[in-house]
């Protein structure tokens, strides 16, 4: 393709019929060879590549296989009469063909800048062939092109230093030197260079033809299956508190699954026993005087207490299979004891000290029991969301609410980024189909494969910053949604290191997945639930 493209574009540098006809005939011959080779191999191309190839063939047929148009090349100065400064009509049409060729010759190139390297080599190779084999009238312009070849090609050689092995560097430098000294068959040498795999690679850092990013927002509810044990429809479960004097405290804990909650009188197959002695080590502290303004003082104290809570997972035989430490027995809590705490003012949460010590001691005597009960209820209720999510992640299922998951997409896949574009499209499709039990498992597997693809690209030498940004961010999303949450958190830190300015790396609801990191070791008998501040810090 590059050969007949370069030959046809050279036509417009000549005004004599002999040179133009020679170039047109050799371009047509090269095109027919290309077309004959293309047809039996079309099945090996991707859908979008096939479309571009067909478009190129259609455009080129209109010129090189149309005798009426082809014969007009015998007429020098075939100009656009209304706008002669625009050049020849066919020259304008060939620009469209040249662009179409550009789009289909970039599958194995890092960036479109590599296409420019190929086209420059092709221009000089055709010039060398015309200078050697073309009619005498065409030699002068071809020779003038060849004189500029070493100077034109050397900047590409320097740009290729990072992306090529030593063997390729030597081959490229040798060819450039041969252009300088006109040594050997330059046309054949250039064709031989094309046949070397991965010869012309260039680091795209800072080039205008780099991958261009755009944001994509994949939306889905995410079906999360049980990580420890999925109970069948025939099994039943129960939730109870020990001591069982406050069953209302666990009324807001739901476990979703095919199995049902055991009814009264039924023996559950598994029991989630919430064990808490209530508040322990309660100390209302010493009364202290605090200023309230205008040389006035009030009275408060600090309540120190502990509220250990754990969940024991008990099987039908009464054996404890796993224990979750919800609040460790050594975790200390503090609460200011003041007027607004015992007699709350609506819509006001500030501290109001007691006006005198008598009022303080009266409130302490009157509200001691209700305060302890209130603190216990508040602390327990605060943890019900965490307990419910833990139980659903481990033994039920949990559907993460519908949310958007950031991806980077490719604006210019035609510039050699079809592979990355295909990865993004596959990632997007898999995310959009995570919300049902029937489709989630297969699509999580797809996301796991996409993750490894992104990571493989990140290891390639000479990739641009934008390629790094895309692969790093999309890796986080793939890991998160394929049940590799711990790895997602690691990749999140790597992503921040690669692109500190990217504020959209973190998924909005990352904390909804962090609970699942507790089950990286499924055989762990005792699991300590981190503080909520740790789980929700994301």
């Amino acid at each position: 393709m590059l050969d007949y493209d370069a030959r046809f574009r050279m036509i417009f540098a000549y005004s004599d019929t002999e040179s133009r006809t020679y170039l047109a005939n050799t371009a047509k011959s090269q095109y027919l060879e290309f077309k004959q080779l293309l047809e039996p191999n079309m099945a090996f191309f991707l859908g979008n590549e096939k479309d571009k190839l067909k478009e190129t063939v259609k455009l080129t047929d209109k010129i090189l296989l149309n005798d009426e148009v082809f014969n007009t090349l015998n007429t020098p100065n075939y100009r656009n009469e209304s706008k002669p400064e625009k050049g020849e009509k066919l020259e304008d049409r060939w620009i469209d063909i040249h662009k179409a060729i550009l789009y289909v010759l970039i599958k194995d190139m890092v960036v479109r800048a590599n296409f420019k390297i190929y086209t420059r080599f092709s221009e000089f190779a055709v010039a060398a062939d015309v200078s050697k084999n073309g009619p005498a009238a065409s030699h002068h312009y071809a020779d003038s092109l060849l004189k500029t070849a070493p100077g034109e090609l050397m900047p590409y050689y320097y740009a290729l230093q990072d992306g090529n092995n030593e063997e390729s560097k030597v081959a490229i430098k040798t060819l450039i030197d041969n252009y300088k000294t006109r040594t050997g068959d330059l046309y054949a040498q250039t064709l031989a260079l094309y046949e070397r795999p991965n010869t012309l690679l260039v680091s795209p850092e800072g080039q205008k033809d780099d991958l261009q990013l755009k944001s994509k927002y994949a939306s889905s509810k995410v079906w999360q299956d049980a990580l420890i044990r999925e109970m069948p429809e025939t099994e039943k479960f129960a939730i109870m508190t020990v001591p069982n004097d406050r069953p209302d405290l666990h009324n807001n804990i739901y476990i979703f699954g095919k199995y049902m909650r055991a009814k009264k009188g039924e023996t559950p197959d598994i029991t989630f026993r919430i064990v808490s002695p209530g508040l322990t080590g309660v100390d209302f502290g010493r009364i202290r005087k605090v200023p309230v303004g205008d040389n006035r003082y009030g009275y408060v104290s600090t309540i120190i207490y502990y509220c250990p809570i754990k969940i024991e997972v008990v099987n039908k035989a009464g054996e404890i299979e796993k224990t979750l430490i919800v609040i460790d027995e050594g975790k200390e809590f503090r609460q200011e004891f003041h007027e607004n705490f015992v007699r709350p003012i609506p819509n006001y949460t500030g501290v109001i000290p007691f006006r005198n010590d008598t009022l303080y001691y009266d409130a302490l005597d009157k509200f001691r029991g209700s305060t302890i009960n209130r603190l216990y209820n508040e602390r327990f209720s605060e943890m019900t969301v965490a307990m419910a999510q833990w139980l659903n992640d481990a033994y039920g299922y949990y559907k993460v609410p519908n949310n958007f998951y950031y991806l980077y997409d490719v604006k210019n896949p035609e510039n050699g980024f079809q592979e990355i574009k295909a990865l993004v499209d596959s990632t997007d499709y898999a995310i959009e189909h995570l919300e049902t039990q029937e489709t989630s498992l297969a699509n999580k597997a797809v996301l796991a494969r996409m993750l490894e693809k992104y990571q493989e690209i990140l290891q390639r030498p000479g990739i641009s910053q934008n390629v790094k940004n895309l692969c790093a961010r999309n890796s986080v999303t793939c890991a998160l949604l394929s049940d590799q949450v711990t790895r997602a958190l690691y990749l999140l830190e790597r992503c921040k290191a690669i692109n500190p300015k990217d504020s959209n790396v973190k998924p909005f609801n990352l904390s909804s997945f962090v609970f699942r990191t507790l089950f990286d070791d499924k055989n762990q008998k005792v699991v300590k639930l981190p503080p909520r501040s740790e789980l929700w810090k994301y």
Side-chain angles (χ1 to χ4, degrees):
M1 294 180 77
L2 284 172
D3 190 291
Y4 75 76
D5 178 37
R7 287 178 187 275
F8 199 95
R9 283 188 292 115
M10 190 181 285
I11 289 173
F12 309 107
Y14 295 96
S15 59
D16 65 286
T17 300
E18 186 180 15
S19 297
R20 291 164 69 89
T21 302
Y22 169 77
L23 287 166
N25 281 326
T26 53
K28 180 177 180 178
S29 175
Q30 291 288 340
Y31 172 63
L32 290 174
E33 288 183 16
F34 161 76
K35 192 174 180 181
Q36 186 178 11
L37 179 66
L38 175 65
E39 291 175 354
N41 292 290
M42 186 67 81
F44 294 104
F45 293 91
L46 299 175
N48 62 327
E49 294 169 344
K50 292 178 183 177
D51 293 340
K52 291 296 183 182
L53 283 165
K54 291 176 181 177
E55 180 184 353
T56 303
V57 168
K58 182 179 178 181
L59 288 169
T60 312
D61 279 351
K62 288 182 178 180
I63 293 181
L64 291 184
L65 301 187
N66 186 319
D67 288 338
E68 181 181 353
V69 174
F70 192 79
N71 290 335
T72 61
L73 294 172
N74 294 326
T75 305
N77 196 29
Y78 182 58
R79 299 278 171 171
N80 184 329
E81 295 179 0
S82 62
K83 296 182 179 180
E85 74 280 0
K86 293 292 186 180
E88 301 189 30
K89 292 180 180 179
L90 286 181
E91 187 175 10
D92 288 340
R93 290 175 64 179
W94 195 261
I95 289 174
D96 293 333
I97 296 176
H98 178 63
K99 290 179 179 178
I101 290 172
L102 181 152
Y103 292 144
V104 297
L105 284 182
I106 54 178
K107 180 175 176 58
D108 295 321
M109 301 185 194
V110 180
V111 289
R112 199 171 79 187
N114 294 340
F115 179 83
K116 295 177 181 178
I117 300 170
Y118 273 85
T119 56
R120 295 301 286 162
F121 271 114
S122 295
E123 289 169 0
F124 295 128
V126 169
D129 185 58
V130 171
S131 179
K132 180 178 180 181
N133 301 313
S138 64
H139 291 179
H140 176 73
Y141 177 71
D143 287 340
S144 67
L145 275 182
L146 287 175
K147 289 179 182 178
T148 67
E152 293 282 345
L153 292 173
M154 281 305 293
Y156 292 121
Y157 170 73
Y158 293 121
L160 294 165
Q161 294 302 301
D162 294 335
N164 286 269
N165 56 39
E166 285 301 318
E167 184 182 359
S168 295
K169 292 176 187 176
V170 170
I172 296 167
K173 182 62 166 59
T174 300
L175 179 58
I176 295 174
D177 290 340
N178 288 346
Y179 269 100
K180 186 175 183 179
T181 59
R182 303 284 185 92
T183 302
D185 188 339
L186 297 173
Y187 180 68
Q189 291 177 45
T190 306
L191 294 182
L193 182 70
Y194 292 161
E195 296 174 359
R196 298 172 61 87
N198 299 321
T199 298
L200 297 176
L201 297 175
V202 63
S203 172
E205 193 74 48
Q207 295 182 3
K208 65 180 180 179
D209 294 302
D210 188 10
L211 178 145
Q212 297 175 25
L213 298 174
K214 66 178 180 179
S215 293
K216 178 184 280 289
Y217 302 93
S219 174
S220 182
K221 297 177 182 177
V222 180
W223 183 283
Q224 300 284 34
D225 289 304
L227 289 174
I228 300 297
R229 173 182 168 189
E230 183 178 350
M231 292 186 286
E233 296 179 21
T234 55
E235 291 193 358
K236 297 183 183 297
F237 74 94
I239 300 177
M240 63 178 294
T241 53
V242 179
N244 200 26
D245 55 347
R246 295 296 303 276
D248 57 296
L249 290 178
H250 65 251
N251 284 345
N252 291 328
I253 298 177
Y254 299 97
I255 304 176
F256 300 97
K258 298 176 182 177
Y259 45 89
M260 302 293 292
R261 189 187 289 257
K263 298 178 180 178
K264 187 175 182 179
E266 292 181 329
T267 302
D269 297 277
I270 190 169
T271 301
F272 302 106
R273 193 162 62 195
I274 304 174
V275 181
S276 177
L279 298 195
T280 61
V282 180
D283 181 359
F284 277 73
R286 296 178 60 181
I287 187 174
R288 67 181 188 275
K289 188 164 62 173
V290 295
V292 294
D294 297 329
N295 294 320
R296 294 183 296 111
Y297 293 89
Y299 297 86
V300 298
S301 66
T302 301
I303 308 171
I304 298 175
Y305 66 95
Y306 303 85
C307 184
I309 301 174
K310 64 181 178 180
I311 301 177
E312 296 173 340
V313 182
V314 183
N315 61 25
K316 201 169 187 176
E319 301 166 332
I320 299 176
E321 294 182 346
K322 192 177 292 288
T323 300
L324 168 67
I325 307 299
V326 180
I327 300 178
D328 188 73
E329 60 184 10
K331 172 65 176 177
E332 181 183 277
F333 296 96
R334 291 173 175 259
Q335 170 63 50
E336 290 295 285
F337 185 72
H338 56 92
E339 177 71 35
N340 194 41
F341 181 73
V342 297
R343 299 182 181 89
I345 298 175
N347 303 319
Y348 181 71
T349 58
V351 174
I352 301 178
F354 295 100
R355 290 195 303 268
N356 54 61
D357 58 353
T358 301
L359 291 174
Y360 168 82
Y361 286 115
D362 286 345
L364 184 63
D365 182 58
K366 181 177 181 180
F367 295 109
R368 179 185 292 269
S370 61
T371 295
I372 292 174
N373 193 50
R374 173 183 171 183
L375 291 175
Y376 176 53
N377 289 345
E378 289 178 353
R379 190 60 56 193
F380 192 103
S381 298
E382 185 184 49
M383 297 308 299
T384 55
V385 174
M387 288 189 281
Q389 186 156 2
W390 182 84
L391 292 175
N392 279 289
D393 281 332
Y395 295 95
Y397 64 75
Y398 183 74
K399 186 173 284 190
V400 180
N402 190 63
N403 214 319
F404 291 104
Y405 297 93
Y406 283 118
L407 293 173
Y408 268 141
D409 200 0
V410 183
K411 277 187 180 180
N412 56 336
E414 70 277 1
N415 287 7
F417 304 107
Q418 292 98 331
E419 177 191 8
I420 297 177
K421 174 62 175 173
L423 289 180
V424 176
D425 289 345
S426 296
T427 304
D428 181 40
Y429 180 88
I431 293 173
E432 296 282 353
H433 293 80
L434 286 173
E435 66 175 55
T436 67
Q437 191 174 30
E438 292 72 24
T439 61
S440 65
L441 187 61
N443 284 294
K444 284 181 181 180
V446 171
L447 290 171
R449 291 197 300 272
M450 296 302 102
L451 168 60
E452 299 309 323
K453 290 281 188 180
Y454 287 124
Q455 289 297 299
E456 185 270 323
I457 293 174
L458 272 175
Q459 303 307 313
R460 295 177 184 175
I463 62 172
S464 73
Q465 183 63 39
N466 280 352
V467 173
K468 292 178 183 178
N469 293 347
L470 181 146
C471 292
R473 178 205 274 189
N474 292 6
S475 290
V476 173
T477 301
C478 285
L480 185 71
L481 298 180
S482 61
D483 265 341
Q484 303 178 68
V485 184
T486 298
R487 189 177 182 188
L489 298 179
Y490 166 76
L491 292 173
L492 178 61
E493 296 306 312
R494 293 289 306 125
C495 189
K496 292 176 180 177
I498 290 172
N499 186 15
K501 297 180 180 179
D502 192 339
S503 61
N504 297 325
V505 174
K506 184 181 71 174
F508 283 132
N509 59 342
L510 179 58
S511 60
S512 297
F513 297 87
V514 176
F515 286 83
R516 299 176 77 80
T517 62
L518 300 173
F519 310 112
D520 288 343
D521 182 1
K522 294 181 174 57
N523 297 318
Q524 189 176 359
K525 292 294 185 182
V526 178
V527 179
K528 186 174 181 179
L529 190 67
R532 292 191 71 186
S533 58
E534 287 295 314
L535 290 173
W536 269 274
K537 69 180 180 180
Y538 299 99

